[in-house]
Every structure is written in C-alpha cells, then in structure tokens.
Amino acid sequence: MIALTVFRVAAYIRSHRIFQALLLMLALVAILYGSRAPKGAETEVLTDAAVLVIPILAWSSRSLLDTEPDQQRAMSAISVGGRLRELSAGLLAAFATSLALIALALGWGLALGVSTVPAPEEFAAVLTLYGLATLAGVTLGALTSRAILRSPAISIMSLLLGFLVMLMLSASPLYWLTVPVITWMKSANSAELTARLPELATISLAWCLLGLACYAWLRRTRP
C-alpha cells in the first residue's frame, strides 16, 4: 500500500497536474501576504489563510485521485490485496500532497506574512486548524473525484458549491452542521481560538471522518 501511495504521488507529479494546484497556491499566498500583518494580528491572518486554501487542497486531491485511469485503479486494487487498501493508498497520497502544499502556505505566511510567530498556545491552535484544513480539503476533493462524479463539469461545480455551502453554514448559528471554517475565523479575530479549539476541532474532525466514510461507502459500487 505504501508503494502504491508513492506511485500515485509520483504519477501526479509526472503528469504535471500538481503545477495547477501549486500555481494557485502561490498566487493565493502572494495576495494574502502582499504586506505583513500588524503585530498582534498573526493568529487571525494565519487562520484566514488556512480557510482560504481549502478549495485549492480539494482541487489538488481531486486531481491526484483522477490521475490514475479507472482500469489501472482496478488493477491496483488487485495488486495490493483489496479495494480498501487501494482506496486508503489514494487518500494517503492526497493527504501527503495536500500537506506539502499547506506547509508551503504556512511557511510563506510565517516568513513574509506576519511580524512574529504567535504565542505558543495560539500557534499550536493554528497548526491544529491547518491539519484540519488539510483533512477537509482531502475529503471534499475525494467526494468530487471521478470515481464518484463522472462528469468533470459536475465535479468542479460540486467542489465549488460544497465549499460555498461550508462557508454559508459555518457563518450561521448552525455552524455545527459542517466544518465550521467561518467560526474558526471569528474565534481567531475575537481571541477565543484557544478556548474554543476543542469544540471546533471535534466538530471539524467528525465531519471530515463522516465525509471520508461516505466516500468509502460510495466507492463500494464504483471502480
């Protein structure tokens, strides 16, 4: 399974599809961190970036999972001993790639976007949100991949619509019905992120795991 994960990452890089997500990420962080945030606003700025990169991570994950032809995916399942291992290898490859992209965004932010690193407690909370953003991006990308949605047009529209619904719901009192990304931002701006992190992390992780479970269930009847 690890070999298949490495193979998929390598195929994604060799296909040059990775450059689409990479260029989008570089453009976004260049705009976000065009000027340094004022001192004391480090947590807010870094949290905003964690939310805004989610659709790029979803795009990257979707592209990686779509790189391999359907018949090759079926052969991979046979070679690694089952569809569950093949599915896990794809998700692991998507997560590793997304982690590299979001690390680039965080590194750029710390180097050029903020005046100083946030306090240890706040920085730990920010790192947690970046991990959850990575997981949310992988989940959204997997649910809109070709194995689930055959039409590329519907797939792309579903990805964007899914992120917009996530934004709208998380801005309402029903924020617990999705990954509460807007609530992340509100908590960071009101200096409540550290206090509310357990609640927000639990809700976010639960929805991501539910989304991945739905992806695994839908893949039972799809190649």
Side-chain angles (χ1 to χ4, degrees):
M1 194 180 81
I2 298 300
L4 180 58
T5 300
V6 174
F7 170 77
R8 283 185 165 166
V9 173
Y12 182 49
I13 295 173
R14 285 197 295 266
S15 71
H16 295 169
R17 288 188 174 192
I18 191 173
F19 294 111
Q20 299 172 359
L22 181 60
L23 290 174
L24 283 173
M25 181 67 76
L26 291 175
L28 177 62
V29 295
I31 294 171
L32 287 175
Y33 301 124
S35 59
R36 288 186 182 272
K39 192 171 182 180
E42 296 84 8
T43 302
E44 296 94 312
V45 170
L46 294 174
T47 299
D48 291 350
V51 172
L52 294 175
V53 300
I54 289 177
I56 298 178
L57 301 180
W59 178 284
S60 172
S61 299
R62 170 185 170 276
S63 297
L64 184 146
L65 294 171
D66 288 352
T67 298
E68 192 174 38
D70 294 337
Q71 293 304 316
Q72 177 63 46
R73 189 184 299 116
M75 292 174 61
S76 297
I78 296 172
S79 66
V80 297
R83 183 168 291 180
L84 181 60
R85 289 186 178 183
E86 178 272 323
L87 183 150
S88 300
L91 291 177
L92 184 58
F95 186 80
T97 305
S98 296
L99 202 59
L101 289 172
I102 205 168
L104 171 64
L106 178 60
W108 188 312
L110 292 174
L112 301 173
V114 297
S115 303
T116 183
V117 177
E121 297 83 3
E122 293 184 351
F123 188 54
V126 167
L127 289 179
T128 301
L129 293 186
Y130 271 74
L132 292 170
T134 305
L135 191 58
V138 171
T139 303
L140 182 57
L143 288 171
T144 55
S145 62
R146 189 178 65 244
I148 306 300
L149 299 174
R150 291 296 183 184
S151 169
I154 293 177
S155 173
I156 294 172
M157 287 190 294
S158 298
L159 190 155
L160 296 175
L161 182 61
F163 182 65
L164 289 176
V165 170
M166 188 185 299
L167 291 177
M168 289 188 294
L169 277 178
S170 60
S172 72
L174 301 176
Y175 64 89
W176 48 270
L177 287 176
T178 185
V179 179
V181 289
I182 297 297
T183 310
W184 295 0
M185 299 167 70
K186 289 179 179 178
S187 299
N189 277 277
S190 59
E192 297 177 349
L193 181 59
T194 304
R196 298 196 63 185
L197 183 63
E199 174 201 359
L200 298 178
T202 300
I203 296 172
S204 303
L205 184 60
W207 277 109
C208 289
L209 293 178
L210 180 61
L212 292 175
C214 289
Y215 172 71
W217 184 79
L218 291 170
R219 281 288 308 276
R220 292 185 310 142
T221 57
R222 292 169 171 82

